[in-house]
Amino acid sequence: MPRGRAATYEDQREMILSRAAALFAKRGYASASMNQVAEACGLSKASLYHYYKDKYSLLVSIAEGHVSRLEALIDDEAAAHLQGEDRLRHLIHRIVAEYANAQDAHRVLTEDVKFLEPEDRERVLDKERHVVAGFARAVSEMRAGQPSAHLSKPLTMLLFGMINWMFTWMKPDGELGYDAMAPIVADLFLGGIGEVRLPEAAATADPHARTI
């Protein structure tokens, strides 16, 4: 009778993905080796191969897992029945929060998707398109009836331009964390620079402290 997997098997796989994502984000997928992944995970190379057959399978799992969580977020929001500005603000808050907890995976998705085989890359890109379409629908809803309603897709891409690269300049120990930046992004996108408000928690902080 075949032996079943240990209860900790999936936890171990997730730990490996997290450590591999951190390594790929720091060194780049092309420069990292399975030996380095095993060392980062505190495992022997033989044990690592028990969970993932090669470095490429790690890349696919990191990229697809990250974008699948974003896709699930869009589907979840579609069922929440929020409308107008409330809907778009909530989407912005949720995706920024997701990025905050997946900075390494997001960097891998952003910088290393080029290493995916065409079939895998297209599957990941299809999921990304689903995410963009969800935001575009929310933007379009707010612009219904306007002569420039067709700009919803370009506006959505500008919004992602603000969000997608936050990991390149935000400091982990800065006064403004991802939770504070989410409403700032929403204020800027929805109302323009004059509508941006400093979050209450940040407003009481040392004005001379680093914010980014």
Side-chain angles (χ1 to χ4, degrees), residues 54-192:
D54 53 26
K55 187 174 74 165
Y56 182 77
S57 67
L58 283 168
L59 175 62
V60 172
S61 293
I62 292 166
E64 189 167 13
H66 177 50
V67 76
S68 291
R69 286 187 289 273
L70 300 179
E71 188 179 38
L73 182 155
I74 293 297
D75 293 340
D76 183 49
E77 285 295 303
H81 304 300
L82 293 174
Q83 300 294 326
E85 183 174 330
D86 288 342
R87 179 186 182 191
L88 189 53
R89 279 186 177 275
H90 203 244
L91 272 169
I92 292 171
H93 283 223
R94 286 200 63 185
I95 201 164
V96 170
E98 179 64 36
Y99 283 6
N101 296 316
Q103 293 181 54
D104 293 330
H106 185 64
R107 184 182 287 271
V108 172
L109 177 66
T110 302
E111 299 180 357
D112 294 328
V113 69
K114 62 181 177 287
F115 294 110
L116 293 176
E117 296 294 331
E119 182 178 348
D120 294 325
R121 183 167 60 250
E122 190 60 27
R123 189 173 63 255
V124 168
L125 291 177
D126 276 345
K127 290 177 178 292
E128 287 187 314
R129 294 183 190 109
H130 182 78
V131 174
V132 171
F135 271 84
R137 285 192 297 272
V139 173
S140 179
E141 180 184 301
M142 293 194 63
R143 298 179 59 78
Q146 296 189 34
S148 56
H150 65 283
L151 290 176
S152 295
K153 178 68 176 294
L155 287 171
T156 299
M157 299 314 295
L158 286 170
L159 172 60
F160 275 101
M162 280 197 286
I163 296 171
N164 278 348
W165 301 99
M166 289 168 62
F167 72 87
T168 65
W169 55 264
M170 285 188 66
K171 294 183 173 66
D173 57 349
E175 290 298 321
L176 292 180
Y178 278 80
D179 57 339
M181 285 302 300
I184 290 176
V185 170
D187 286 347
L188 180 59
F189 183 73
L190 291 165

